[in-house]
Amino acid sequence: MRMPDKKGYFGDFGGRFIPETLSFCLRELEESYFKFKKDKRSLRELDFYLKEYAGRPTPLYFAGKLSEYLGIKVYLKREDLLHTGAHKINNTLGQIFLARHMGKKRIIAETGAGQHGVATATVAARFGFKCDVYMGEEDMRRQKTNVFKMEILGANVFPVRSGSKTLKDACNEAIRDWVTNVKDTYYLLGSVVGPHPYPLIVRDFQSVIGKEARSQIIKKENRLPDYLVACVGGGSNAIGLFHPFFDDKKVKNIGVEAGGLGLSSLNCASLIKGKVGILHGAKSFLLQDEFGQIKATHSIAAGLDYPGVGPEHSFYKRIKKACYVAVSDKEALHGFKMLSKLEGIIPALEPSHALYYLKKIAKKNKGSLVILCLSGRGDKDLDIVREKRGKIKDKDKG
Ligand SMILES: *Cc1c(COP(=O)(O)O)cnc(C)c1O
């Protein structure tokens, strides 16, 4: 059984729920992608850039001090060491080669934390594409440095002022642009979300994480891990890690979602609190109110601030292939400090959620072998951490 099926379904999830105007764009993309996958020359060249430009393979680092502290054996898949500071470059490099293969001249993208925008602007610069990025105004405020980086790289950043002024609103704008300009424009999507074939394309390009990790852990430990742990925004770093282990029945997958302000308000955890619905062209779990309207999310990590999750994760949840949990802002900050202090590695706030969850695994299953996807580094988040720490200190005083 190959997933997704011909119509882009992972079990009941995924598919293509789109206006007629988009169906040409997506059919063209799908056909081109299957041709691209047989284009040996392009694939060899992509491999070269993943290695020499992005910095693959990334180490699978045994975090000895963290392991000793927790009482479990933790390996970190070091996507934080990649060019532009996160796993996003795996996908943007892959898709820029696909765009070139399709003969497109212009790239558009949406971005939340700005990481995907930077990774897109980076490859657009390198391969000579015009690049326009849509970003929510609120996210632009939170991630000023990334906005500046995109501009330095030659991209235009358009502020989106509708709705909650975050990622989902930026997605809407990008789709509007694509429908109007599809002839010369490639829409470079940032995660395993959206209509078929995007969840498939992004998963394939991110699977390099799990492929490497699987052979690395076998070399180092001579066995498969007990757990794979990754944070889930749209779900691309997580599915990239999980997918190559799909047939390994004993490996347990854990996806860590953002719980926002606390466990009583699980307001970002689509897979825990969400209902099945349709967002941005695919059927999946998403956060909606009693009238089926999409709910605004809140998380300390802009990259996890998305009301939906990729359809393949909904499928994993349904067949119990993965378990999904939520970690709050405060707990994520704890994870952030723990890795910084113990290992001298400052993580992004997104994987800090996953890092915190290691404590829960350690409590129940001492001695287990864990691979955690360290999806990005923390430089982009330092202002947010400083601001939060200030608030917590003020509270202690008062
Ligand atoms: C964007 C981002 C995420 C969330 O995206 P996924 O598609 O869920 O992987 C996680 N970590 C970092 C560092 C990011 O930049």
Side-chain angles (χ1 to χ4, degrees), residues 85-88 113 115-116 190-192 231-238 303-304 348 350-351 375-377 380:
H87 68 294
K88 301 272 192 333
Q115 289 291 100
H116 172 59
S191 192
V192 285
C231 62
V232 175
S236 70
N237 85 88
L304 302 183
E350 290 86 356
S375 55
R377 56 175 173 253
K380 70 183 176 63

Side-chain angles (χ1 to χ4, degrees), residues 48-277:
F48 173 86
Y49 280 91
L50 283 170
K51 191 169 157 216
E52 305 280 327
Y53 186 71
R56 304 215 70 90
T58 58
L60 185 72
Y61 164 67
F62 174 59
K65 224 166 135 215
L66 178 67
S67 297
E68 197 179 316
Y69 173 76
L70 291 171
I72 52 177
K73 215 163 182 186
V74 183
Y75 281 84
L76 302 175
K77 185 58 176 157
R78 297 291 309 275
E79 299 298 292
D80 62 314
L81 293 176
L82 289 173
H83 181 39
T84 71
H87 68 294
K88 301 272 192 333
I89 193 91
N90 302 326
N91 171 48
T92 57
L93 262 179
Q95 288 197 59
I96 204 83
F97 274 87
L98 176 54
R100 199 183 66 176
H101 176 92
M102 293 173 77
K104 306 285 182 188
K105 303 279 180 262
R106 172 178 176 252
I107 300 294
I108 55 169
E110 85 297 324
T111 192
Q115 289 291 100
H116 172 59
V118 170
T120 303
T122 299
V123 297
R126 174 59 188 83
F127 294 94
F129 287 81
K130 180 175 173 10
C131 181
D132 292 331
V133 179
Y134 292 96
M135 187 168 186
E137 202 171 45
E138 170 64 14
D139 287 337
M140 283 179 79
R141 188 188 62 77
R142 293 199 283 191
Q143 303 287 347
K144 285 195 189 85
T145 308
N146 279 342
V147 174
F148 189 43
K149 276 187 195 167
M150 286 183 261
E151 286 167 357
I152 290 172
L153 292 161
N156 302 304
V157 184
F158 294 111
V160 176
R161 298 196 173 91
S162 56
S164 58
K165 304 179 175 68
T166 58
L167 184 58
K168 78 176 166 61
D169 313 291
C171 288
N172 290 333
E173 283 308 312
I175 290 169
R176 225 164 280 163
D177 181 322
W178 197 31
V179 173
T180 331
N181 303 302
V182 64
K183 244 202 159 129
D184 71 335
T185 297
Y186 183 93
Y187 178 15
L188 208 163
L189 204 73
S191 192
V192 285
V193 297
H196 180 61
Y198 281 112
L200 165 67
I201 292 175
V202 180
R203 181 252 272 162
D204 284 355
F205 288 137
Q206 290 294 2
S207 290
V208 67
I209 300 174
K211 273 182 215 152
E212 286 176 9
R214 197 174 181 284
S215 69
Q216 287 168 321
I217 197 76
I218 289 172
K219 254 197 208 128
K220 286 173 197 259
E221 289 286 335
N222 207 15
R223 72 172 183 104
L224 291 169
D226 300 308
Y227 292 94
L228 301 174
V229 186
C231 62
V232 175
S236 70
N237 85 88
I239 214 72
L241 177 64
F242 297 170
H243 181 68
F245 292 85
F246 189 85
D247 293 325
D248 303 315
K249 298 268 163 359
K250 285 191 179 150
V251 177
K252 295 185 211 55
N253 300 319
I254 298 181
V256 184
E257 295 195 87
L261 289 178
L263 292 179
S264 54
S265 61
L266 283 169
N267 57 1
C268 283
S270 323
L271 284 162
I272 295 163
K273 272 286 176 99
K275 286 182 281 190
V276 176

